[in-house]
Structures are given as structure tokens and as C-alpha cells.
Amino acid sequence: MTMSHPQSYEILIVPEFTDDKAPESQGTGGGAAGASVRGTAAKGSDEGGPGDAVRSAVVTATGETGETGYPRYAGDGMVADIDPRTQAVEGLLVDGSELAYGLSARIAERDRRQRDTDG
């Protein structure tokens, strides 16, 4: 059986004020486990791109399921539970701690971001 969801993502940690570029329906989360945000930065656009990130990390699938029930990804000091359907970050630890208030997490499929920067 092959997995249909990406095996790695790049997680971008951005100040929440940049979320005004994200679609309204996706909110900022702000809960104890982090945020569930995708938007223009996740798609590698020129506006709101990775330059706005205060930190980023490449995470890869661990083969485990996180406490949220979603697949767990880890790398570069971050551990994230990511919903493969919506590609939303459902839980996030940064260096073992919850995401600080005022920050949001956005994700980008690593393959897509590499193609955008290479081409």
C-alpha cells in the first residue's frame, strides 16, 4: 500500500499579523497545540513568502500517529501532527514547547517549494 500524502513538509513559523493574507475560512488556531493555517506563504508566492518566516524546519513522516490522531512529522527541532487531507498543522511542538502566542504555523509541500525556487 502506498501513502498518498507527502512524506515531508516545510513548516514556516510566521507572526500572526501576516495571516491577513490567508483565506478567511482557515483562521489562526491560536490553541494550545499551535495553529492550523495555510495561505499564500504555503504556496511559495512572492507575497508573504518564506522571507516573512521567523523560523522554518523541514519535517519528515515518522510513521507514527500523534496525539491528535494525525500522522506525525519531525525534524529540525519541530514535531508536528499534520492532517494529510487539509494539510493543516493540528499539533506542533517547537524545541519541545508549544507554539508561542502571536505566531502561526504554515506548511508547504517540500517538493512544490523546491520546484518553485529551481524553475
Side-chain angles (χ1 to χ4, degrees), residues 72-96:
R72 177 150 290 170
Y73 292 77
D76 296 333
M78 293 190 199
V79 176
D81 296 351
I82 299 174
D83 180 341
R85 284 192 186 170
T86 64
Q87 296 183 341
V89 178
E90 297 295 341
L92 178 65
L93 294 177
V94 179
D95 298 329

Side-chain angles (χ1 to χ4, degrees), residues 6-9 108-116 118:
Q7 293 301 297
S8 68
Y9 290 99
E109 287 182 41
R110 209 164 151 237
D111 300 357
R112 179 183 298 160
R113 291 190 45 73
Q114 285 179 332
R115 280 195 308 267
D116 290 347
D118 292 342

